[in-house]
Amino acid sequence: MKIVFLTSRLPFPNVDGRKNILLQYIDTIKKLIPNIEIINISFIDDEKYIKDKPDSIDKLLYLNYPSAFEKVFNIILNTFLFRKWPLQVSAFYSRKNYNFVHKILKEEQPDYVFIDMIRMAEYVNGHSYTTIMSYDDLLSLRYKRQKTYIKYLPSILGGFAKKLPKFANIILDMKFIQKIILNYESFITERYEYKIANRYDHLIFTSPKEADEFRKKTGHKSIEGIPMKFRIVEQESQRIFNKDKIVFVGKMDIPHNVAAVKYFCEEIWSIVKKTQPHMKFYIIGRSPIDDVKNLELKFNDVIVTGEVENISKEIKDAAVFVAPMTFGTGIKTKIIEAMAMGIPVVTTENGAEGIMYSNEKNLFVTNHSRQFAEYIRILINREINREVANDAKDLIEQNFSDFIIEKKWENLLLEKEKGEQ
C-alpha cells in the first residue's frame, strides 16, 4: 500500500504548528499501517531541514517554486481576470510541477493521495486513487476576521508574502490596499473552498467544529475533524514555575501570531505590569519580523527569543501561557500543547474556538483587556495554578488522546478495505 503526501512545505521538523500536525498525520498512518510506503512530494521551505527527514517518510521528492513570471501570470489571469484561484493557489502553481506530480503519481500508482491545503489543490485533478484534502481550517473565515485587527498587521499575508513578487509586497503594505485585498481574497477563497470540495473523496479539518459546519453547508459525505493528538506530560514532582514569567509561542511571521503579540503588548501588558512589576513576557518562535523584534525596544520586560532548540524546555517553567488571538480559525495547537504540559492558558474567545472548555476551570477565556490581565494575576497563585493545570490535562485526555485521534484515521483509511471485504 502507498500514500503520497503532496505538501506546500516539508512536514518536518517540529518547528511550527502546521509541520507538527503534518508529521503527526504521517506517523499515525505509519503506526496504523506499518507496511504502507509513504512518499512525500514537497516544496522545500528551508533546505537545512532536509537532513531531518524522519524514517516514517520512505521517499522525498522536491518541487521547485514557480518563477516570478509564473506567479504574476497566474495572479493576473487566474486570480484577477478569471477570478478562479485565490492568491495562494496562484503563487504555488506551475505547469512544470503539475506535470512532475502526475508523472510520479502515474509511476507510483498510490492507493491514497493527501493534499496539503487548498494552495496545492490544482495539482490533483482526476484520479484512480483515494484523495484526502486537508483544508487545515477555513482560510476565507480567517481573512474576514483579519480585517477587524488590520492595524496590528505589517502584512496581511505574513510569511506567505515571501512567495509573491517584490512589487506585490510593496503594494500589499498599504493599509487601504490590504482592506481591498482581504475583501477580495476572502470572497474568492470562500467560493474556491466550496467549489473544490467534491473533487476529493475525504476532507479533513483540524477543528471538528469547522468540519461539522462545512459538512452542513456542502453535504459532502466524508468530512472529519482531526486535530493533533497530545500526550499528557507527567511531572516527576509538583510543577515548579516562575511566577514572573509568561510566554507566547508561535512562528513569528504569521499574521495571526504577529497581531496577537502586538495586541497583547499594546492593550494588556501595561495593565499586567501595574500589579506584577517584575513580570517578563517571552515571545518564542522562529522568523520574528521587525514589527515583533521592535516590541523589545518599545515595551519593558518583553523578550523576543527567536527560534529555540527546545520549545518545551523554554516554556515549562512559565507561570502562564498567553494566547491573545485576535483572529484565526481552527483549533490553536499552541494552546492544546501548553495545556498538555500543565501550563495554565489565558486566551481569547477566538483562541478557544473549537475547544470544549469550562471557563475559569480548565481554560481562562476573555476578550476584555483588564479581565485578561486579571486572569494572569489569579493564575500566579500556586494552588490555583496547580488545580487549573490538572483540570486542563483532564480535558486533553478526554478530547485529544492517542486513542481518539488514531480511531479517526483508522475509520478514514480502512473504510476502503472494509468495503472490499
Side-chain angles (χ1 to χ4, degrees):
M1 187 179 293
K2 292 181 183 179
I3 182 169
V4 168
F5 269 74
L6 181 61
T7 58
S8 61
R9 73 199 82 185
L10 290 172
F12 58 85
N14 293 334
V15 294
D16 63 53
R18 188 59 186 163
K19 285 179 179 286
N20 288 356
I21 198 165
L22 285 172
L23 184 55
Q24 192 179 96
Y25 285 172
I26 289 169
D27 289 342
T28 300
I29 291 170
K30 198 74 167 182
K31 178 181 178 181
L32 292 173
I33 313 174
N35 64 341
I36 195 169
E37 182 179 355
I38 297 180
I39 301 166
N40 182 205
I41 306 175
S42 181
F43 287 102
I44 309 301
D45 49 311
D46 195 325
E47 290 187 0
K48 73 180 181 182
Y49 295 141
I50 294 175
K51 62 179 174 55
D52 297 316
K53 184 186 81 66
D55 293 338
S56 52
I57 296 177
D58 298 286
K59 188 184 297 184
L60 176 62
L61 302 171
Y62 309 150
L63 296 174
N64 294 315
Y65 286 107
S67 66
F69 173 80
E70 288 176 302
K71 293 174 185 177
V72 172
F73 178 83
N74 287 336
I75 290 169
I76 293 175
L77 191 69
N78 292 308
T79 298
F80 292 114
L81 185 59
F82 294 129
R83 300 198 296 175
K84 293 195 307 179
W85 296 350
L87 277 170
Q88 62 179 284
V89 176
S90 290
F92 276 88
Y93 181 82
S94 82
R95 189 68 187 179
K96 184 176 181 180
N97 282 335
Y98 176 89
N99 291 334
F100 176 75
V101 169
H102 278 260
K103 174 177 175 292
I104 298 302
L105 295 180
K106 185 176 180 180
E107 291 174 354
E108 297 290 348
Q109 291 294 303
D111 298 275
Y112 300 93
V113 176
F114 176 102
I115 302 98
D116 171 32
M117 302 181 67
I118 64 170
R119 64 185 56 163
M120 304 297 286
E122 294 301 319
Y123 286 116
V124 180
N125 285 313
H127 51 81
S128 58
Y129 33 77
T130 301
T131 51
I132 305 168
M133 163 56 74
S134 176
Y135 276 77
D136 186 16
D137 54 27
L138 287 176
L139 295 176
S140 58
L141 179 58
R142 182 188 299 182
Y143 294 144
K144 289 176 182 177
R145 292 173 173 176
Q146 202 168 333
K147 290 184 292 183
T148 305
Y149 294 92
I150 199 168
K151 71 175 183 176
Y152 296 113
L153 301 178
S155 167
I156 56 174
L157 300 177
F160 171 66
K162 298 175 185 177
K163 306 298 184 294
L164 297 177
K166 289 184 178 179
F167 83 88
N169 284 296
I170 294 173
I171 295 173
L172 289 173
D173 282 342
M174 303 175 186
K175 290 300 178 187
F176 79 96
I177 294 294
Q178 289 180 351
K179 291 181 180 179
I180 294 172
I181 293 295
L182 280 174
N183 280 325
Y184 183 80
E185 184 72 352
S186 62
F187 163 75
I188 198 170
T189 300
E190 183 175 27
R191 189 173 65 176
Y192 188 78
E193 286 168 338
Y194 289 108
K195 178 183 176 182
I196 67 169
N198 287 323
R199 290 187 195 174
Y200 306 101
D201 299 299
H202 305 286
L203 308 181
I204 293 176
F205 290 83
T206 57
S207 167
K209 177 184 176 183
E210 285 192 4
D212 289 340
E213 292 174 351
F214 202 71
R215 183 186 301 108
K216 292 173 183 176
K217 291 180 179 179
T218 63
H220 195 287
K221 63 180 182 180
S222 179
I223 302 180
E224 188 64 78
I226 308 182
M228 284 186 69
K229 59 182 179 181
F230 291 89
R231 292 181 180 175
I232 301 302
V233 179
E234 298 295 346
Q235 304 289 340
E236 294 182 3
S237 59
Q238 188 171 339
R239 188 173 87 92
I240 299 174
F241 64 86
N242 180 351
K243 67 181 182 63
D244 291 324
K245 180 178 181 179
I246 61 175
V247 296
F248 175 92
V249 173
K251 191 168 180 287
M252 295 316 304
D253 62 353
I254 296 177
H256 57 263
N257 288 336
V258 174
V261 295
K262 290 185 69 177
Y263 167 74
F264 182 81
C265 288
E266 294 179 14
E267 305 293 337
I268 302 172
W269 187 231
S270 63
I271 306 173
V272 172
K273 293 292 282 182
K274 285 179 180 178
T275 57
Q276 307 299 322
H278 301 297
M279 187 163 278
K280 298 182 186 298
F281 175 41
Y282 291 79
I283 300 172
I284 302 171
R286 68 188 180 106
S287 306
I289 61 173
D290 288 342
D291 271 46
V292 175
K293 293 176 182 177
N294 289 339
L295 295 174
E296 276 189 321
L297 305 175
K298 189 175 179 181
F299 299 94
N300 291 331
D301 294 326
V302 171
I303 301 163
V304 179
T305 70
E307 185 173 2
V308 296
E309 186 174 342
N310 188 323
I311 291 178
S312 297
K313 182 179 178 181
E314 294 294 329
I315 71 172
K316 67 179 182 180
D317 65 337
V320 181
F321 186 104
V322 295
M325 313 310 295
T326 55
F327 62 87
T329 47
I331 291 177
K332 315 305 183 291
T333 301
K334 59 173 67 67
I335 294 175
I336 305 300
E337 195 160 21
M339 294 170 73
M341 291 180 64
I343 306 173
V345 178
V346 182
T347 187
T348 57
E349 290 179 4
N350 181 266
E353 188 174 43
I355 302 172
M356 300 298 290
Y357 67 92
S358 296
N359 199 16
E360 300 185 14
K361 177 176 171 61
N362 43 37
L363 190 63
F364 282 60
V365 181
T366 181
N367 284 347
H368 302 288
S369 300
R370 292 192 176 279
Q371 185 64 60
F372 201 108
E374 176 63 12
Y375 280 161
I376 293 172
R377 188 193 66 79
I378 291 171
L379 287 170
I380 64 174
N381 177 284
R382 291 191 180 277
E383 184 61 26
I384 295 175
N385 194 288
R386 183 185 63 80
E387 291 178 4
V388 173
N390 289 336
D391 288 337
K393 286 184 175 183
D394 289 343
L395 181 150
I396 301 304
E397 188 67 33
Q398 294 166 14
N399 294 278
F400 301 93
S401 67
D402 287 2
F403 174 79
I404 291 173
I405 304 305
E406 288 173 10
K407 192 65 178 177
K408 289 175 179 284
W409 273 111
E410 184 178 356
N411 291 338
L412 188 151
L413 290 173
L414 301 183
E415 179 184 22
K416 179 179 178 181
E417 282 67 32
K418 290 177 182 176
E420 292 174 349
Q421 292 177 357

